[in-house]
Amino acid sequence: MFAVLVCLGLAGFLAPAAFAAHPPEVRAPLPWRVGGAFGFTVDAASFPDSAGYALEVYVRLAPAALLAVGGGGSEGGRFALALTLRNSYGGLERHVEQDFVASGGDTAGGLGKVVVLPFRTSAGEHRLQVRMTAPARKGVSRRTQAVSVEGVVTVPASEKGVDLSDLGFVWSESGGEDPRAFRRGPRSLTPNPERLYGLFADSVRATFVARAPAGSERPWHWVARILDAGGGAVSALEGAGAAGRWLDASLAMDLSQQPAGGYDLEVKAWQEGDAGALLRRGHFSIGWEVETWTTSPQEILDGAHLLLGPDSEEDYARMQPGEQEKMMGDFWRERDPTPDTGQNEARETYLKRANFANRTFGRAGFGKGMFSDMGRVFIRYGEPSEVLKQVIPARDNTLAEMIRQLAASDTREVGDLNDRRIGPDMRPFEVWIYEGDIPLPLDADPHAVHMPHTRGRRLVFLFVDEQWLGDYRLRYSTE
């Protein structure tokens, strides 16, 4: 029987997912990155063994998730993990439940928590469901929270009686006893479910296993290549194995000269005398910025939300961390007003405005200030030239008069702000006015043929606190 083992793994980033009674189906290839109030990453690799096939599932909690659950402290919390494996017809193969303790202290040295669960299975497609239940977040809620995901994993079948495993991405490997690592044969392996390399690990490491039919005792050969996003080979490595039915190999390939982005690791293996080779390929990413490794995955997605269109944002959320780094790097490089200097003023301006918006316009229960209507306008255009506001309402119809003035000076509709009310209209409001040389929004496409012209324009934004809760909503603008 397989034992359930717990080990430590490396930090990475998680894509947002909804909290739902039925887990969302993932159509993207592994690894699956799931998020929310806390998040985890799921990866898997299958290996032939003496009894058939073993599927190893790696579930990883990133340091950001552990710190969020622990409220920034080192106190541990008890997590519950449930994995269900079904065949392609929906029949139950195995269900495993495991509790484990993880805490902010597990992030020491940049490490997170990884749980390794091996399954006995067969070749072909299988449906994997992973459900993680976290303890209540410190200072936020007394209720536990659960996040789950479901998708298809494929165990490669034999080809002419020969098996080649998936590529198992590894953070570290040692021959000794490591209490943090997963034991496979004589080696201690720490899996890297995030498949992230670069700043804190400048060599990609992987393991793979091949099995020949009984009686085939010939020597083994293998070659590995790293392919860039365009399919070009940027590195190659060759290896060999002793004569026998089995090849149990590992590799390490230097990445120190490769830029951030997505890459494929390709491995071919064969025995002497074979007419062809078996091939396996796995996708991974490289990241060199500290933020790629240390910033909360939700913070990374939040930072891109106001800059990318819906389609681009959806693609961004599915990317691996190094690919996200490259995409945003290209985004800001195109908007750098002084590309010959070491500073990117456009990016710095965006970060300053976003920080100001979070500090100024955020309200408890309403989310981050950068996502409020006021926050969005401030990030796009900066500080207004003039602000007209009525914070403490007078018992008059100042807002109604303001609406009449706006309607008289512009042809667009002002919507339900014209609704008649009984008695004075005392809703608090603010009017932001931008005049003169108004800079282009930071998210404007620098390559667009028809750029929005802002010189000499007068932009007006009217925000109304409908419920008197400090939640000012944009009700009218000349943008």
Side-chain angles (χ1 to χ4, degrees):
M1 294 180 62
F2 286 110
V4 177
L5 302 125
V6 178
C7 69
L8 290 177
L10 257 291
F13 300 104
L14 315 173
F19 289 76
H22 300 286
E25 181 178 349
V26 175
R27 298 186 182 275
L30 291 163
W32 303 333
R33 302 167 68 223
V34 188
F38 74 98
F40 58 89
T41 302
V42 178
D43 198 10
S46 62
F47 297 87
D49 61 17
S50 57
Y53 298 93
L55 177 69
E56 295 176 2
V57 180
Y58 318 116
V59 182
R60 177 180 159 281
L61 281 164
L66 299 174
L67 290 171
V69 172
S74 60
E75 296 84 355
R78 182 167 294 277
F79 292 78
L81 182 63
L83 273 71
T84 303
L85 190 68
R86 299 181 182 275
N87 61 30
S88 58
Y89 300 101
L92 179 65
E93 293 188 43
R94 193 176 180 196
H95 177 80
V96 174
E97 296 184 3
Q98 174 70 18
D99 292 346
F100 63 94
V101 175
S103 69
D106 290 325
T107 67
L111 299 173
K113 197 79 166 183
V114 175
V115 182
V116 183
L117 296 118
F119 289 81
R120 180 69 60 209
T121 188
S122 58
E125 286 192 349
H126 305 264
R127 297 197 65 83
L128 176 65
Q129 177 184 327
V130 181
R131 180 180 177 86
M132 180 83 75
T133 303
R137 293 178 63 187
K138 183 177 180 181
V140 176
S141 171
R142 294 181 181 274
R143 300 174 59 187
T144 58
Q145 304 169 80
V147 184
S148 56
V149 65
E150 181 176 320
V152 175
V153 296
T154 302
V155 176
S158 298
E159 298 180 33
K160 297 181 180 180
V162 182
D163 292 280
L164 178 59
S165 73
D166 291 318
L167 303 180
F169 287 88
V170 174
W171 177 254
S172 64
E173 176 182 346
S174 65
E177 293 292 336
D178 186 344
R180 303 174 303 178
F182 170 60
R183 194 80 178 169
R184 188 192 299 141
R187 295 175 295 176
S188 293
L189 306 175
T190 302
N192 184 357
E194 199 62 42
R195 302 189 188 182
L196 176 62
Y197 299 91
L199 182 63
F200 296 141
D202 60 5
S203 294
V204 61
R205 296 178 179 272
T207 63
F208 56 95
V209 175
R211 176 178 60 189
S216 180
E217 305 292 333
R218 291 169 289 152
W220 288 91
H221 299 275
W222 57 267
V223 60
R225 298 193 303 165
I226 296 176
L227 308 177
D228 61 20
V234 298
S235 182
L237 181 68
E238 295 183 4
R245 284 191 63 198
W246 293 90
L247 170 68
D248 189 352
S250 61
L251 61 85
M253 301 177 71
D254 179 62
L255 303 170
S256 59
Q257 302 303 311
Q258 305 306 322
Y263 294 81
D264 286 325
L265 175 62
E266 178 186 88
V267 171
K268 293 181 180 180
W270 67 95
Q271 284 184 298
E272 281 188 11
D274 287 348
L278 295 183
L279 180 148
R280 294 289 177 263
R281 183 177 291 179
H283 194 63
F284 70 97
S285 71
I286 300 174
W288 296 107
E289 293 186 0
V290 174
E291 292 79 5
T292 301
W293 294 82
T294 61
T295 304
S296 159
Q298 193 60 53
E299 292 291 332
I300 287 180
L301 293 172
D302 287 350
H305 176 68
L306 300 182
L307 302 171
L308 304 176
D311 292 340
S312 296
E313 184 179 9
E314 187 175 336
D315 292 340
Y316 184 81
R318 289 195 295 261
M319 290 179 179
Q320 292 191 16
E323 295 171 309
Q324 292 177 334
E325 177 182 315
K326 181 183 184 303
M327 182 174 179
M328 292 313 299
D330 293 342
F331 178 94
W332 289 117
R333 196 173 298 111
E334 291 178 343
R335 290 160 175 80
D336 188 354
T338 56
D340 295 332
T341 68
Q343 288 183 305
N344 188 321
E345 291 82 358
R347 184 173 185 271
E348 292 178 359
T349 297
Y350 169 75
L351 294 176
K352 289 178 181 178
R353 289 181 182 177
N355 289 334
F356 180 87
N358 285 332
R359 294 195 312 269
T360 307
F361 307 120
R363 296 289 186 275
F366 294 111
K368 290 184 176 181
M370 66 187 298
F371 297 140
S372 68
D373 288 349
M374 282 185 167
R376 290 173 185 269
V377 173
F378 183 87
I379 290 173
R380 284 177 64 81
Y381 295 106
E383 186 175 352
S385 308
E386 184 180 2
V387 176
L388 306 175
K389 58 184 176 181
Q390 180 176 272
V391 179
I392 302 176
R395 293 187 176 275
D396 56 25
N397 283 305
T398 306
L399 177 57
E401 179 60 30
M402 180 65 65
I403 295 169
R404 283 193 292 271
Q405 293 178 13
L406 291 173
S409 61
D410 195 81
T411 59
R412 66 196 71 205
E413 296 289 334
V414 293
D416 61 2
L417 284 171
N418 278 322
D419 290 349
R420 291 184 177 275
R421 293 170 176 257
I422 299 176
D425 188 346
M426 299 189 297
R427 290 173 291 175
F429 68 88
E430 290 193 20
V431 178
W432 290 8
I433 301 172
Y434 293 84
E435 294 182 297
D437 189 6
I438 305 172
L440 289 171
L442 295 172
D443 60 334
D445 184 357
H447 302 299
V449 176
H450 301 290
M451 297 291 288
H453 184 63
T454 57
R455 293 181 183 275
R457 287 185 58 189
R458 186 173 188 265
L459 296 179
V460 178
F461 299 88
L462 171 62
F463 306 93
V464 180
D465 183 5
E466 299 284 358
Q467 306 299 326
W468 292 27
L469 297 174
D471 182 25
Y472 284 80
R473 300 296 180 93
L474 180 64
R475 304 311 302 271
Y476 172 83
S477 80
T478 59
E479 188 177 22

